[in-house]
Amino acid sequence: MTSLRWLKLNRTGLCYLPEELAALQKLEHLSVSHNNLTTLHGELSSLPSLRAIVARANSLKNSGVPDDIFKLDDLSVLDLSHNQLTECPRELENAKNML
């Protein structure tokens, strides 16, 4: 499954991102909505093809959004709506393809 391009883990009760995600080097779209995530820290920044992260309706706080995901060259969609964020991530300005 290392050639997987889309992965939808919505409503699965996730509390953290599995470290096995790092093996999905062709992953383009990751959806982890409606879970119990408090952080997106993990291996996301090591996924060179990642274009979209949909993490709406979790329990993410400001410290749970790692700065390094904004360095992904192809990232154009980041949905963090309906979380516990109180401010826009400061590194968002470094995202190359976000509008």
Side-chain angles (χ1 to χ4, degrees):
M1 292 181 36
T2 56
S3 295
L4 200 64
R5 292 177 48 206
W6 281 69
L7 182 58
K8 185 176 180 181
L9 296 171
N10 298 344
R11 300 180 191 271
T12 56
L14 283 178
C15 296
Y16 61 90
L17 294 175
E19 63 186 50
E20 291 82 6
L21 284 177
L24 305 177
Q25 291 295 299
K26 295 185 180 179
L27 190 67
E28 296 177 8
H29 185 100
L30 175 64
S31 184
V32 290
S33 296
H34 299 276
N35 281 297
N36 300 312
L37 296 173
T38 57
T39 182
L40 292 178
H41 290 278
E43 304 298 328
L44 292 183
S45 62
S46 69
L47 301 174
S49 301
L50 198 57
R51 295 179 183 188
I53 302 170
V54 179
R56 65 184 343 207
N58 278 283
S59 298
L60 296 172
K61 294 182 172 45
N62 296 347
S63 62
V65 181
D67 294 341
D68 57 355
I69 64 171
F70 298 107
K71 295 177 184 170
L72 289 166
D73 288 334
D74 293 330
L75 188 66
S76 59
V77 174
L78 179 62
D79 184 351
L80 300 176
S81 61
H82 304 285
N83 277 287
Q84 297 175 8
L85 301 173
T86 58
E87 60 186 22
C88 190
R90 59 191 149 104
E91 294 296 320
L92 179 61
E93 65 187 30
N94 296 331
K96 296 177 183 174
N97 289 319
M98 290 220 182
L99 299 174

